[in-house]
């Protein structure tokens, strides 16, 4: 009986409580003092009798604790004196050590029990709760709703298959879930309603089995709207300002705002912004003229039918209009059909009034585009007849979107200004018109990068040299921007200066390499203050073509090799010994000689032509050779065809292309003689030159030519070494060249009145349009050039 006593104590039994113990067979085995006071029976009168004998009506009551783990209910019991006593009975089993029921403890109370009251309280709370509550019965498939659930949109959403799947899953898997539901936006608020529903399994306390599903729905419309605003702002960070293009950035803002914020959006900017200029700081005058650069519409019609101003068109907003008020105050302005100024603004513009009537525009937000303290323009967002009016939250969102777009527009404006300055500098440094000469026919193209990388330092040049030869140059400075363009200009000037000295290509690159090294050292303090770092680095390809010998001598300083199309139709990339990039210093450059048939086509270019993110350099060279091999009527057409075949619409790097078709001077244009080192030969040399001029029909040039030949040959015999040679070249000019084996070059000097010599070169300089000296592998050549006689 110890187990029974423990069970009674655990169940709250005490001698003063109205309790009785009943065996599994329904026989009263225990009777408390409280039970005696309540019903008047002494223990001896009850113990051993059937518990059912105490009931007034055995058939009417549902009291039957036997076979049930626990039971509660009401029953009418008979008092010892015979009157009826209505009681609330609660039966709990007494368990043994194995958990099996040994007997029942029945507790009796008068009136409504606390547990019943609590149960009713729960029922009242369920029915009267402001939270939308509902229960689903797994047995009957029916719903029970409180008042909140009856009126909220989820009352209708119970027909939604997604929600019902969640309910079935909770009932079957006995796990809680969360479901988010949405309801259409009321026209009055324009905000989509959102509900978060918590679902949990409801278990039978007796069996522990899932009897149904309970739900509680919470209105999350405010939180959902806030998340939507944050999502839009977050998306703006990735979609607005993706390029350094003013117009594109404005269009990105309009595309983002429609239809998630507005039914129609437009962006108007100051003309000075479009030109990259710096607007006046602070808010601008309301009468300022703006240019429409972007707009977007949610209309299903093609185009933007709501636009009263075309793209590129001019619009001047009156001072009372929402856009003008926004520009003046520097703050966003919310207006609508109930605003007299809105009606006045619309009414004074016939096209705008027609659009407003057709599309039912009733609400507008104008937000200034301001960045770094300056106003760039205004963004206008409009809602039509199928949308709710703008609210204060929309005003804040529009202001934030306009502010982010303004930073992108200002970045693009500043880039436009810097790019324009760099392009102006670069174009001023690049050759405008290449000089005409007999050695080659040329065509060229220069394309700045189409991306935000900035203007680069690519350059090319064609430099006429003595003896009808020509220098062909192409180079590329590392980096982009003003610094690269300025460095390019310095290197181009240096190459021209060194070309005038008539150095061979490999020696010229050696001197140019030294110059770049000095520039890097001298400009260290400047470079540190610039966005570009890492010193000056550049590549260069220098070639000299001689139309007399048809030899092209080339040397490369880290530059991509040229391609050549020969007269037999074969195309190849010239094999060069590549030298180091300029600025490395201390490493040699090697020259390569290439004999070219007359009419050969050389393509010099920078790496932007053949390098691409989509393919490697090898494929780019193959495509270049294929483009060169295609038959075209002219070099100009060939240039355009190559660029079209090899470049995307917006190249990522600057591109310089120089096409050169070689020419040759024939035997009837060149006369050459070998001369002995004998002063007596000077007269014979003059005579030979005179006879050749007569053969060419240039007798009028004989006098000057005789003086030049006499002076140059005399100097070679007197100061030079054998072999000595004389050559006349007839082309666009008449050129006289005398070569010898000495590397000592003559120079002009002022002869005093009593000097016997020193006047010869001075006379040559006076009688010809140019003269000079160039070093050769075997010595030097002194040349003089004079114009051909007219007539």
């Amino acid at each position: 009986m110890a187990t029974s006593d423990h069970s009674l104590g655990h169940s709250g039994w005490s001698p003063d409580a109205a309790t009785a113990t009943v065996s599994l067979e329904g026989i009263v085995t225990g009777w408390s003092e409280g039970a005696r006071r309540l019903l008047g029976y002494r223990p001896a009168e009850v113990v051993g009798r059937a518990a059912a004998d105490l009931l007034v009506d055995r058939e009417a009551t549902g009291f039957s604790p036997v076979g049930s783990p626990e039971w509660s209910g009401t029953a009418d019991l008979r008092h010892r004196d015979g009157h009826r006593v209505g009681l609330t009975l609660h039966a709990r089993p007494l368990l043994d050590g194995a958990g099996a029921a040994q007997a029942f403890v029945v507790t009796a109370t008068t009136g409504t029990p606390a547990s019943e009251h609590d149960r009713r309280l729960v029922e009242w709370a369920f029915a009267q709760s402001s939270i939308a509550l509902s229960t689903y019965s797994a047995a009957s498939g029916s719903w029970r709703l409180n008042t909140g659930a009856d009126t909220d949109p989820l009352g209708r959403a119970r027909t939604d298959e997604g929600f019902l799947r969640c309910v079935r899953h909770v009932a079957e898997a006995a796990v809680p879930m969360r479901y988010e539901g949405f309801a259409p936006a009321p026209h009055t608020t324009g905000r989509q309603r959102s509900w978060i529903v918590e679902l949990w399994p409801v278990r039978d306390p007796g069996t522990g089995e899932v009897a149904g599903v309970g739900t509680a729905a919470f209105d999350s419309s405010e939180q959902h709207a806030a998340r939507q605003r944050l999502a839009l702002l977050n998306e703006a960070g990735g979609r607005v300002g993706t390029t350094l293009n003013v117009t594109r950035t404005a269009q990105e803002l309009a595309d983002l705002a429609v239809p998630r914020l507005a039914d129609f959006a437009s962006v108007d900017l100051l003309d000075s912004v479009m030109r990259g200029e710096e607007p006046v700081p602070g808010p601008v005058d309301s009468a300022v003229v703006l240019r429409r650069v972007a707009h977007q519409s949610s209309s299903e019609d093609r185009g933007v039918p709501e636009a009263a101003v075309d793209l590129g068109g001019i619009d001047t907003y009156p001072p009372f209009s929402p856009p003008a008020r926004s520009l003046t105050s520097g703050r966003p302005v919310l207006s609508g059909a109930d605003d007299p100024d809105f009606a006045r603004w619309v009414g004074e513009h016939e096209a705008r009034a027609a659009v407003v009537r057709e599309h039912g525009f009733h609400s507008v937000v104008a937000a200034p585009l301001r960045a770094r303290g300056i106003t760039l323009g205004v963004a206008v967002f409009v809602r039509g007849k199928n949308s709710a009016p703008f609210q204060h939250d929309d005003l804040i969102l529009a202001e934030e979107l306009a502010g982010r777009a303004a930073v992108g527009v200002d970045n693009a404006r500043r880039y436009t200004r810097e790019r324009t300055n760099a392009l102006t500098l670069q174009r001023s440094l690049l050759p405008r018109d290449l000089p005409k000469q007999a050695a080659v026919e040329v065509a060229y193209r220069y394309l700045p990068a189409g991306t935000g990388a900035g203007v680069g330092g690519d350059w090319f040049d064609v430099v006429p040299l003595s003896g009808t030869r020509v220098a062909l140059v192409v180079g590329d400075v590392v980096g982009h921007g003003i610094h690269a363009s300025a460095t390019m200009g310095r290197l181009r000037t240096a190459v021209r200066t060194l070309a005038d000295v008539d150095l061979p290509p490999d020696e010229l690159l050696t001197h140019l390499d030294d110059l770049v090294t000095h520039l890097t050292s001298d400009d260290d303090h400047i470079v540190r203050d610039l966005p570009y770092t890492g010193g000056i680095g550049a590549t260069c390809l220098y070639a000299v073509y001689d139309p007399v010998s048809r030899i092209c001598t080339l040397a490369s300083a880290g530059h991509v090799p040229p391609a050549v199309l020969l007269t037999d139709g074969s195309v190849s990339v010239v094999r060069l010994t590549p030298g180091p990039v300029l600025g490395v210093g201390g490493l040699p450059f090697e020259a390569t000689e290439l004999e070219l048939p007359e009419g050969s086509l050389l393509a010099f270019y920078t790496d932007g032509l053949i390098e691409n993110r989509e393919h490697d350099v090898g494929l780019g060279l193959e495509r270049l050779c294929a483009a060169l091999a295609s038959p075209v009527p002219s070099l100009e057409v060939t240039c355009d065809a190559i660029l079209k075949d090899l470049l995307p619409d917006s190249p990522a790097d600057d591109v310089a292309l120089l096409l050169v078709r070689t020419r040759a001077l024939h035997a009837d244009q060149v006369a050459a003689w070998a001369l002995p080192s004998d002063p007596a030969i000077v007269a014979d040399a003059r005579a030979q030159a005179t006879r050749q001029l007569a053969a060419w029909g240039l007798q009028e040039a004989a006098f000057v030519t005789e003086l030049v030949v006499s002076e140059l040959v005399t100097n070679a015999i007197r100061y030079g070494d054998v072999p000595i040679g004389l050559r006349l070249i007839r082309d666009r000019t008449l050129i006289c060249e005398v070569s010898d084996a000495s590397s000592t070059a003559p120079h002009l000097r002022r002869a005093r009145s009593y000097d016997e010599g020193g006047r010869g070169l001075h006379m040559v300089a006076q009688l010809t349009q140019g003269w000079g000296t160039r070093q050769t592998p075997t010595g030097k050549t002194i040349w003089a050039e004079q114009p051909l006689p007219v007539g």
Side-chain angles (χ1 to χ4, degrees):
M1 295 303 293
T3 303
S4 299
D5 291 343
H6 174 75
S7 300
L8 288 173
H10 183 72
S11 62
W13 182 87
S14 68
D16 293 334
T19 60
T21 57
V22 181
S23 69
L24 298 179
E25 293 78 14
I27 303 301
V28 178
T29 60
W31 191 259
S32 72
E33 179 60 24
R36 187 197 66 76
R37 288 196 300 269
L38 182 62
L39 294 178
Y41 296 104
R42 292 188 296 274
E45 297 174 323
V46 178
V47 173
R49 294 174 57 185
D53 293 343
L54 299 176
L55 299 175
V56 174
D57 187 354
R58 294 188 178 189
E59 303 298 331
T61 183
F63 177 67
S64 180
V66 179
S68 301
E70 188 169 354
W71 183 90
S72 293
T74 59
D76 290 335
L77 275 70
R78 189 178 303 280
H79 195 271
R80 186 174 184 274
D81 61 10
H83 73 272
R84 183 190 301 263
V85 180
L87 299 175
T88 298
L89 303 180
H90 185 76
R92 292 190 180 91
L94 287 173
L95 306 178
D96 61 14
Q102 291 181 326
F104 290 91
V105 176
V106 180
T107 304
T109 59
T110 59
T112 302
S115 60
E116 182 66 20
H117 177 74
D118 292 345
R119 185 175 290 106
R120 292 183 181 179
L121 189 62
V122 170
E123 291 285 340
W124 297 336
F126 174 85
Q128 300 171 21
S129 173
S130 59
I131 299 174
L133 301 173
S134 65
T135 58
Y136 168 77
S137 172
S140 64
S142 61
W143 286 89
R144 182 181 178 190
L145 314 175
N146 70 349
T147 304
D150 252 341
T151 57
D152 92 73
L154 275 181
R156 297 184 296 274
R158 282 188 301 277
T159 59
D160 178 69
E161 184 57 32
F163 177 71
L164 294 179
R165 279 198 301 269
C166 288
V167 173
R168 289 194 292 268
H169 180 74
V170 172
E172 295 169 1
V175 293
M177 287 189 67
R178 173 175 288 192
Y179 173 83
E180 187 169 11
F182 302 93
H187 181 72
T188 54
T189 65
R191 177 178 297 163
Q192 186 181 40
R193 295 195 67 187
S194 170
W195 293 77
I196 294 177
V197 185
E198 299 285 347
L199 300 94
W200 65 92
V202 179
R203 301 177 182 273
D204 185 326
T207 64
E209 297 180 355
V210 176
V213 177
T215 72
F218 304 92
D219 189 342
S220 60
S221 301
E222 289 291 339
Q223 294 87 339
H224 177 70
R227 291 198 304 270
Q228 293 294 97
R229 291 193 295 271
L230 288 176
L232 188 59
L233 289 176
N234 182 64
E235 190 173 343
R239 287 184 53 184
V240 180
T242 60
T243 65
L244 291 173
N245 181 283
V246 172
T247 301
R248 180 58 190 160
T249 302
Q251 189 62 53
E252 288 169 346
L253 171 61
D255 293 343
L256 180 69
V258 176
R260 296 169 64 179
L261 176 63
D263 297 319
F264 170 77
S266 65
V267 180
D268 298 342
L269 298 178
L270 299 170
D271 265 343
S272 58
V273 174
M274 302 300 296
R275 295 190 298 268
E277 299 174 0
E278 188 85 10
V280 178
V284 300
D285 183 69
S286 59
V288 70
V289 176
L290 299 175
R291 186 174 298 276
R292 175 67 50 84
V293 296
H295 53 212
Q296 187 55 275
S297 162
S298 62
S299 173
E300 296 181 356
D301 299 334
R302 296 184 62 183
V304 186
E306 299 93 336
V309 178
D310 294 331
L311 289 178
I314 297 296
D315 200 356
T316 302
Y317 294 106
F320 53 83
S321 65
R325 286 153 51 194
S326 174
L327 288 170
T328 304
S329 65
R331 302 289 299 171
V333 171
L334 174 61
S335 183
D338 56 349
D339 183 357
D341 286 338
F342 175 83
R344 180 184 173 191
W345 170 50
V346 171
E348 291 186 357
H349 194 287
E350 184 176 348
R352 183 173 288 115
V355 167
V356 169
R357 287 193 301 270
E358 179 180 357
H359 299 279
F361 289 153
H362 56 80
S363 187
V364 60
V365 168
L369 271 67
R370 288 178 50 81
R372 301 180 181 93
I374 59 175
T375 300
L376 308 169
V378 64
V380 178
F381 308 99
V382 186
R383 286 184 177 175
K385 55 189 175 184
N386 296 324
S387 300
F390 285 113
Q391 304 296 322
H392 181 69
D393 289 344
D394 299 317
L395 186 71
I396 298 174
L397 177 59
E399 181 180 22
E400 184 67 25
L401 288 177
R404 296 196 178 193
V407 173
V409 169
D410 192 50
N411 287 338
R413 176 194 66 80
R414 291 155 66 94
Y415 169 75
T416 299
R417 180 185 62 192
E418 295 301 322
R419 178 177 171 82
T420 300
N421 293 340
L423 280 174
T424 300
L425 172 63
Q426 190 176 49
R427 287 167 180 162
S428 68
L429 297 174
L430 288 172
R432 296 184 180 180
D433 295 308
L434 297 180
K436 296 184 181 300
Q437 27 65 44
V440 292
E441 176 191 0
V442 298
Y444 60 91
R445 295 290 185 272
Y446 178 82
L447 293 180
T451 66
V455 177
D458 295 19
W459 94 93
F460 62 92
D461 210 346
V462 176
V463 184
L465 302 177
S466 62
T468 68
R469 296 169 307 125
V470 64
L472 308 166
V473 193
V474 63
D476 186 0
V477 175
V478 175
H480 293 85
I482 294 289
H483 180 72
S485 296
T487 302
M488 176 270 288
R490 299 165 83 175
L491 293 184
R492 178 172 176 262
T493 301
V495 169
R496 275 191 161 265
T497 302
L498 294 172
D500 286 342
V501 182
D502 233 328
L503 294 175
D506 51 341
E507 292 186 26
L508 182 140
L509 290 183
T510 300
H511 285 280
L512 191 62
D513 182 54
D514 292 339
L515 173 65
V516 171
T517 302
H518 291 310
L519 288 177
T520 303
S521 175
D522 293 342
D523 290 353
D524 271 349
H525 65 287
I526 299 176
V527 172
R528 284 193 296 266
D529 297 335
L530 294 172
Y532 165 77
T533 59
I536 298 172
T539 65
C540 183
L541 178 65
Y542 186 81
V544 174
Y545 175 68
D546 186 347
V548 177
S549 64
R550 294 183 287 106
I551 297 294
C552 183
T553 306
L554 310 95
S556 172
H559 200 82
V560 287
V564 58
L565 169 64
L566 300 178
T567 52
D568 60 3
S570 62
V571 184
S572 63
V573 177
V574 178
R575 294 180 178 273
L576 297 177
T577 301
V581 174
L582 295 175
V584 173
L587 297 177
F589 299 93
E590 294 187 28
T592 300
E593 288 191 352
L594 189 67
E595 185 174 355
L596 298 173
E598 182 180 5
S600 298
L601 180 59
L602 285 163
F604 299 89
Y605 52 90
T606 54
D607 56 6
L609 181 68
I610 58 173
E611 289 184 356
N612 194 296
R613 296 175 182 174
E614 300 177 358
H615 58 74
D616 58 15
V617 174
L619 180 58
L621 288 173
E622 291 178 7
R623 294 173 61 184
L624 173 60
C625 292
L628 277 177
S630 301
V632 288
S634 68
L635 290 186
E636 295 292 338
V637 176
T638 304
C639 280
D640 294 333
I642 290 175
L643 297 181
K644 181 179 179 181
D645 290 346
L646 272 70
L647 295 181
D649 293 335
S650 182
D653 195 5
D654 287 19
V655 174
L657 174 64
L658 176 65
L659 294 185
V660 178
R661 177 169 286 131
T662 63
R663 294 170 177 162
L665 295 183
H666 301 143
D668 61 347
Q669 295 179 274
V670 180
W673 302 272
L675 304 177
S677 182
D678 183 358
I681 201 65
V682 175
D684 187 50
R686 287 199 302 266
Q688 289 178 336
T690 302
R691 286 193 296 270
Q692 184 61 54
L693 293 180
W696 285 340
L698 301 177
Q699 293 87 344
E700 295 182 16
F703 176 74
V704 173
T705 304
E706 287 181 0
L707 290 175
V708 171
V709 169
S710 180
E711 176 60 27
L712 298 185
V713 171
T714 300
N715 281 345
I717 294 173
R718 181 177 300 176
Y719 304 109
D721 295 324
V722 292
I724 299 172
L726 169 64
R727 185 169 71 167
L728 294 181
I729 301 174
R730 175 179 62 85
D731 183 48
R732 300 175 184 272
T733 60
L734 180 61
I735 302 171
C736 177
E737 296 182 342
V738 175
S739 59
D740 65 82
S742 173
S743 59
T744 303
H747 60 276
L748 284 175
R749 65 183 179 87
R750 183 178 297 278
R752 294 186 291 268
S753 57
Y754 50 82
D755 287 344
E756 295 182 0
R759 297 178 177 85
L761 284 180
H762 182 75
M763 181 176 59
V764 170
Q766 293 296 317
L767 294 176
T768 61
Q769 67 180 23
W771 77 280
T773 304
R774 67 173 181 269
Q775 299 296 320
T776 66
T778 59
K780 69 176 181 297
T781 297
I782 304 175
W783 58 271
E785 184 177 350
Q786 56 181 303
L788 295 177
V790 180

